Amino acid sequence: MPFGTGRLGLFVRRILRRMWFRAALYAVAALVTVTVAAWIGPVLPRSWAARVTEGSVNSLLEIMASSMLVVATFSLGTMVSAFTAAASVATPRASNILIDDPISQNVLATFVGAFVFSIIGLIAMSLGLFGGDGRIVLLVVTVSVIIAVIFTLFGWLDYLANMVRLGEILRKIEAHALNVMTKRAETPFLGGRMFRGQPSGGTPFKTNVTGYVTSIDIEALQDMAYKASGVVHAAVGPGDHVDPDTVAGYTTWAPNAEDQAVLRAAFVIEPERSFEQDPRYCLIVLSEVASRALSPGINDPGTAIGIIGRLQRVLTVWTSAGDGVQPAYGLVHMPALSTDDLFEDAFGPLARDAAPALEVGLRLQKALGALARIGGPTFAEAAALQSARALDHARSKLVLEADVERLKALALDVQSARARS
């Protein structure tokens, strides 16, 4: 499936990640139970109905309603504290990944949904909507919800023990970065063709707003180009900052006011960057954590060394990217990700902050050397540039000339890999 998805698909994905959506499913389950009980109840054996009293079902629902409200409130407070701790332990940008974490979403949705389910069940019981037969159905569903809550609670306790550990936060960031980078490597131009500059006679169009491009509805651009028998050349991609004067792209026809509105709407622009189509942002967040670990107040070079390995793994995925992928949206041209920008986002600030730490500098040069050897000419060039910059930073901070010579030897290996590529 193409990496570029429609605006509707983006909307649906974001809705599915909302806690209230999952909780609403429990409310729907309660309403379905009330409806189905009226139909299924009469066909059940009468002997079953005699064993299920109204008081027993009411008691279960009342216990669940009172306990789930307390548990949901406690869990929400715990999550807020965890997000705050993650921002201080790692980086504020890491909180967004934790907030979207499906485990946290499912836990809160289960607790809140169980509370809503029990309230609807109690209301139905008080209105006399269930006879003896109907209470059997309600009891079965209630017991199923209780079992789901118990299993969720056990998993939640185990999850809380690791939630704010730096290693766990980094694992989630890396997993997200690998996922985004893999999708982008599979479709380097979001399913379109490569943008090669302003077309001859092209008509520019602008976004007319200020912010970051978080997503592009390439399907809408394709449909617009098809109807106009033309081609859309997008000049900006996810992660780029735009303002009202920024040219978002060009069309090979003269778009009218309605076309201009459709073209602008295809570019989702928000105040902050998003992880969904922006692998550069994932690299920036990892690099931020490393820079924070190297700050004088924390002085944790081990974390920075570990993050260099994570950055190396993520960038290795990009070595499989190519422009030979058959485009799904051939009437749309999209800008390519710059390998130089990827390396700068990953290692630029890190090289500066790691200058006084020899052990981090050595690991950085080794990672750049490995990337230079496996990634082809563009990787080798970008790695060599970052290697030279890191060496310059280290020269200005390291006291011993012997330490500088160790770094210089590794930097020469990176330069040699560039010469061989």
Side-chain angles (χ1 to χ4, degrees):
M1 183 177 180
F3 184 67
T5 56
R7 197 181 187 98
L8 178 60
L10 175 66
F11 174 78
V12 171
R13 289 200 308 274
R14 291 186 176 182
I15 288 295
L16 292 177
R17 291 203 301 263
R18 299 293 183 182
M19 186 194 71
W20 63 262
F21 177 81
R22 293 179 172 89
L25 294 179
Y26 281 85
V28 172
L31 295 174
V32 170
T33 300
V34 173
T35 304
V36 170
W39 294 89
I40 298 181
V43 304
L44 297 176
R46 292 289 180 179
S47 58
W48 293 8
R51 298 183 179 183
V52 180
T53 64
E54 182 176 349
S56 61
V57 179
N58 260 338
S59 297
L60 284 176
L61 291 173
E62 288 174 355
I63 292 172
M64 188 161 63
S66 59
S67 59
M68 285 300 98
L69 182 60
V70 174
V71 171
T73 303
F74 168 76
S75 300
L76 184 59
T78 302
M79 285 188 63
V80 171
S81 300
F83 297 152
T84 303
S88 61
V89 170
T91 172
R93 264 62 62 189
S95 299
N96 295 331
I97 292 179
L98 296 181
I99 291 172
D100 288 339
D101 183 63
I103 296 178
S104 301
Q105 296 281 353
N106 287 330
V107 166
L108 280 178
T110 299
F111 294 156
V112 174
F115 169 74
V116 174
F117 174 89
S118 58
I119 291 297
I120 294 177
L122 287 171
I123 292 174
M125 291 287 291
S126 65
L127 293 177
L129 299 181
F130 295 104
D133 300 326
R135 287 197 297 269
I136 298 176
V137 179
L138 181 60
L139 177 63
V140 171
V141 179
T142 300
V143 171
S144 301
V145 172
I146 292 174
I147 292 174
V149 168
I150 291 173
F151 277 99
T152 301
L153 185 59
F154 287 156
W156 178 235
L157 294 175
D158 181 65
Y159 180 77
L160 283 179
N162 299 301
M163 188 175 184
V164 296
R165 289 178 56 249
L166 181 58
E168 179 67 14
I169 295 172
L170 291 174
R171 185 193 65 79
K172 291 179 180 178
I173 298 174
E174 181 188 1
H176 203 86
L178 286 170
N179 180 52
V180 175
M181 186 67 82
T182 300
K183 289 181 178 179
R184 190 61 185 268
E186 291 172 351
T187 52
F189 313 114
L190 305 181
R193 299 182 186 276
M194 183 177 181
F195 173 74
R196 300 184 184 277
Q198 179 180 356
S200 177
T203 303
F205 63 91
K206 300 179 180 180
T207 57
N208 292 343
V209 294
T210 299
Y212 289 97
V213 179
T214 58
S215 180
I216 296 178
D217 188 349
I218 194 169
E219 294 175 9
L221 296 178
Q222 172 80 3
D223 291 341
M224 171 61 64
Y226 180 79
K227 293 175 182 178
S229 299
V231 177
V232 175
H233 298 258
V236 297
D240 290 337
H241 188 270
V242 298
D243 57 59
D245 196 45
T246 301
V247 175
Y250 305 88
T251 60
T252 56
W253 75 96
N256 55 30
E258 183 179 350
D259 291 350
Q260 290 270 2
V262 174
L263 291 169
R264 285 195 294 268
F267 292 80
V268 180
I269 299 173
E270 297 175 309
E272 297 180 356
R273 296 176 75 166
S274 168
F275 293 98
E276 287 174 300
Q277 290 187 354
D278 190 359
R280 289 183 58 189
Y281 190 44
C282 299
L283 296 175
I284 289 172
V285 172
L286 280 171
S287 183
E288 281 183 349
V289 181
S291 292
R292 184 183 181 280
L294 292 171
S295 63
I298 298 178
N299 191 24
D300 181 14
T303 293
I305 291 173
I307 291 175
I308 291 173
R310 296 177 188 273
L311 290 169
Q312 182 179 345
R313 284 193 291 271
V314 175
L315 285 171
T316 300
V317 175
W318 188 243
T319 61
S320 63
D323 58 2
V325 181
Q326 184 65 28
Y329 307 104
L331 299 179
V332 182
H333 293 206
M334 298 296 303
L337 271 178
S338 168
T339 302
D340 285 338
D341 288 341
L342 291 173
F343 272 73
E344 176 63 27
D345 293 332
F347 302 118
L350 181 56
R352 177 199 63 214
D353 298 327
L358 174 63
E359 62 275 28
V360 181
L362 293 172
R363 181 65 184 88
L364 176 58
Q365 293 289 350
K366 291 177 182 178
L368 290 171
L371 291 170
R373 288 189 294 272
I374 67 173
T378 55
F379 258 59
E381 190 68 30
L385 177 61
Q386 293 301 321
S387 173
R389 289 180 178 175
L391 182 60
D392 289 340
H393 282 300
R395 280 197 179 104
S396 65
K397 296 293 184 179
L398 292 176
V399 177
L400 296 179
E401 186 61 29
D403 292 342
V404 176
E405 289 299 320
R406 292 179 64 186
L407 288 174
K408 186 177 179 181
L410 292 174
L412 288 175
D413 290 340
V414 180
Q415 302 298 330
S416 298
R418 180 183 62 172
R420 293 191 299 269
S421 64

